[in-house]
Amino acid sequence: GRIDREKGSAGVVQCSYHGWEFDSDGKCVCIPQVTTDVQDKVIVNKRAQVASYPTCVNRNVLWCWPWKDDPLTVVADESAHPEGIMKGLGEEFSTYTRDLPYGWDSLVENLIDPAHIAFAHHGLQGKRTDAIPINMTMNGNVKERGFGFDWSDRTMGMIRHGSAEFRGPYMVTYDGTFEVSNKPFQLSVLCIPTKPGWSRAIIMQRKQRAVKTLVQKIFKAIPLFLIHQLSNKFLDSDLAFLHYQERNTERGHKYFVPAPADLCVTAFRQWIPKYTNYLETNSPLPPEMPKSQLFDRYAQHTAHCKQCQAAMKGMVKWRRRCYALLAVSVLGIQKFWAARISTLMCLAALRIMQKLDRSMRVG
């Protein structure tokens, strides 16, 4: 349904099909198809009410408590609250959201496994030659709310090291530095199960307040929708592998993982059956998808991204302007150099916009 914020103290949710309206408590407050007298009698019926769940907004993310237990049962456990899960993130950050055609467990495992980066993301974040023995140690015991680990690896030719946490069941966060430049490496990702074989990643990039170097200034000036295309490309690089491999591996099976770099993956796979019923309740995975659907960036990201939607609408306007200018320039192309330059610039701009439009739709 749609949210109508103009009605009631907190707005109402309106059914998109018949227009019934419900308040924040799940009570029906409007049935357009009946008179007021009939409506007053009908809305008190429990069958006219819908389920209502406690919600809150934290760091621009809508959180919901869908369980039958009262949320006050975890009021004393800070790590169970959005504030605890997102601790250390700060108030200033940008987000990138994408629905991914592989499960929540595959998403989390992928994020806490630095060993795959040199190979699965070759050419994007380093090279295969970056692969070295990864020094990884568990930071404390595995608990219901997750675990932490320290790690050291090499990427883009530079050694980096730091600490990371899995704050079960949603957050993976890294806080490290590159050894030579002392440049920080920070990454926080919310991992959300959405349906069998699908998950949602919300990448939360902390904003750097002190912009010192020229590269940082240039990067800060890049529009967010262009940064989102880089994120799309990065996630695309191992997306097919994770989707198909997920269907070829046996969940709950014990695999041979002898390297220290496998410690946190092993801990996570042990954490799942101990503290969740994910493997028990998760339905069978859907059939393998063709690549045209796997890399559907529009459905997975662009359709619900404000920055990318605004960029696409802006490009429609600029295309019209370029075509209009191109038509005028072609008329004078034989006589005037300015017309020739204008023609070339229009053609180049149209080509760039065509590529950008495609990158927002398919991988």
Side-chain angles (χ1 to χ4, degrees):
R2 57 180 292 271
I3 298 176
D4 189 339
R5 301 184 186 277
E6 302 299 322
K7 296 183 178 180
S9 58
V12 297
V13 175
Q14 184 184 76
C15 173
S16 300
Y17 197 61
H18 282 119
W20 287 34
E21 295 177 356
F22 304 87
D23 64 15
S24 59
D25 294 320
K27 181 182 176 182
C28 182
V29 294
C30 178
I31 303 176
Q33 293 79 16
V34 300
T35 63
T36 303
D37 292 340
V38 174
Q39 176 180 286
D40 292 341
K41 296 177 181 178
V42 171
I43 60 176
V44 297
N45 192 314
K46 290 185 177 180
R47 296 179 64 186
Q49 298 176 8
V50 296
S52 175
Y53 303 99
T55 60
C56 72
V57 175
N58 187 281
R59 307 301 203 283
N60 294 329
V61 176
L62 177 63
W63 296 78
C64 171
W65 181 271
W67 297 280
K68 294 181 180 180
D69 299 334
D70 193 306
L72 292 177
T73 57
V74 294
V75 69
D77 186 357
E78 182 185 0
S79 61
H81 295 255
E83 293 85 353
I85 293 173
M86 305 179 79
K87 180 178 63 176
L89 187 60
E91 297 295 334
E92 295 185 9
F93 55 86
S94 60
T95 61
Y96 162 87
T97 302
R98 183 162 172 180
D99 292 325
L100 298 164
Y102 47 84
W104 160 84
D105 53 336
S106 295
L107 173 59
V108 174
E109 180 178 316
N110 176 259
L111 289 169
I112 62 175
D113 176 24
H116 80 283
I117 292 174
F119 299 94
H121 301 297
H122 171 75
L124 289 174
Q125 188 177 344
K127 301 177 180 178
R128 297 184 185 95
T129 52
D130 282 331
I132 58 173
I134 293 177
N135 181 24
M136 180 177 290
T137 56
M138 298 300 295
N139 190 1
N141 297 324
V142 177
K143 301 178 181 179
E144 182 179 1
R145 297 303 175 195
F147 53 85
F149 59 94
D150 299 326
W151 100 105
S152 177
D153 69 352
R154 181 171 63 187
T155 183
M156 296 178 289
M158 297 180 288
I159 299 293
R160 63 177 178 176
H161 51 80
S163 299
E165 285 184 83
F166 166 61
R167 299 173 185 169
Y170 304 118
M171 175 68 84
V172 174
T173 179
Y174 279 87
D175 194 353
T177 55
F178 288 92
E179 198 170 80
V180 176
S181 62
N182 207 31
K183 179 183 176 182
F185 170 75
Q186 296 173 326
L187 176 68
S188 297
V189 185
L190 280 172
C191 309
I192 307 164
T194 54
K195 58 184 177 181
W198 284 84
S199 58
R200 174 170 295 173
I202 303 179
I203 301 176
M204 317 188 85
Q205 188 67 44
R206 301 172 221 182
K207 292 184 178 180
Q208 296 181 355
R209 293 184 178 180
V211 180
K212 299 178 180 179
T213 67
L214 178 62
V215 174
Q216 288 177 327
K217 291 179 180 179
I218 294 173
F219 191 78
K220 188 176 182 180
I222 298 175
L224 276 177
F225 81 91
L226 288 179
I227 296 176
H228 287 188
Q229 305 322 302
L230 295 175
S231 298
N232 277 335
K233 190 172 183 179
F234 185 82
L235 289 175
D236 282 350
S237 58
D238 60 3
L239 185 149
F241 176 85
L242 292 168
H243 174 79
Y244 294 125
Q245 190 67 17
E246 189 173 55
R247 284 150 180 77
N248 295 326
T249 55
E250 184 180 345
R251 286 184 169 178
H253 181 77
K254 294 182 179 179
Y255 290 91
F256 184 56
V257 282
D262 301 319
L263 283 175
C264 55
V265 171
T266 302
F268 174 62
R269 287 298 173 182
Q270 293 172 347
W271 181 89
I272 292 176
K274 186 174 182 180
Y275 295 110
T276 77
N277 59 353
Y278 180 77
L279 298 178
E280 300 172 10
T281 60
N282 202 29
S283 303
L285 295 173
E288 291 184 355
M289 296 169 58
K291 289 187 177 180
S292 59
Q293 295 179 15
L294 277 182
F295 297 101
D296 186 351
R297 293 178 178 176
Y298 187 85
Q300 296 170 14
H301 169 72
T302 306
H304 49 76
C305 175
K306 291 193 300 183
Q307 289 84 10
C308 293
Q309 280 290 307
M312 292 190 80
K313 291 178 182 178
M315 284 192 292
V316 170
K317 295 179 181 179
W318 278 104
R319 278 198 201 95
R320 291 173 183 166
R321 294 168 182 170
C322 281
Y323 280 123
L325 181 58
L326 182 61
V328 174
S329 299
V330 167
L331 296 176
I333 197 169
Q334 293 183 346
K335 294 184 178 181
F336 305 104
W337 274 102
R340 297 173 191 174
I341 294 173
S342 177
T343 299
L344 291 174
M345 290 179 66
C346 286
L347 291 172
L350 288 168
R351 178 61 174 166
I352 291 171
M353 285 187 283
Q354 181 186 38
K355 287 188 174 183
L356 280 174
D357 184 84
R358 178 176 172 78
S359 74
M360 293 184 187
R361 297 180 184 277
V362 294

